[in-house]
Amino acid sequence: MILIFVVMYFFMIRPQQKRQKELQKQRDALTKGSKVVTAGGIYGIVKEVQESTFLIEVSKDVTLKVDKGSVYVAAEDAQQAPKA
């Protein structure tokens, strides 16, 4: 039974924790001008970074206030970003 738990930890739990840490690191690195995608699929550019939210411009004179947890780095920015 212990062996099953150990195998599940190394193949399921640990990789998920690594992905979550990497995603949080990317969110913390977002600055004004970064291209992002929300969890709802809305593309935009970060206009302001606040403590727990971002102001994202999705069109000229249209900004959205979204929670940091629902924002991901845009695919084109992720490809250009240097790997650490």
Side-chain angles (χ1 to χ4, degrees):
M1 194 67 159
I2 295 173
L3 181 62
I4 291 172
F5 179 74
V6 169
V7 169
M8 284 182 62
Y9 176 78
F10 281 106
F11 286 106
M12 295 174 69
I13 299 169
R14 189 166 178 252
Q16 179 64 25
Q17 289 174 340
K18 284 181 77 174
R19 279 191 293 269
Q20 290 290 60
K21 285 180 184 178
E22 182 64 31
L23 185 57
Q24 186 61 40
K25 209 183 294 184
Q26 287 178 345
R27 285 182 182 140
D28 292 340
L30 289 174
T31 59
K32 184 176 178 179
S34 298
K35 294 180 183 177
V36 295
V37 180
T38 67
I42 299 172
Y43 288 77
I45 298 173
V46 175
K47 288 296 173 186
E48 185 178 326
V49 178
Q50 298 173 349
E51 188 174 323
S52 63
T53 60
F54 289 114
L55 281 179
I56 298 174
E57 182 176 41
V58 294
S59 184
K60 184 178 181 191
D61 298 327
V62 178
T63 58
L64 300 174
K65 186 176 188 177
V66 296
D67 186 65
K68 281 188 175 184
S70 66
V71 174
Y72 304 96
V73 177
E76 57 270 6
D77 276 4
Q79 291 172 353
Q80 295 172 1
K83 298 287 180 182

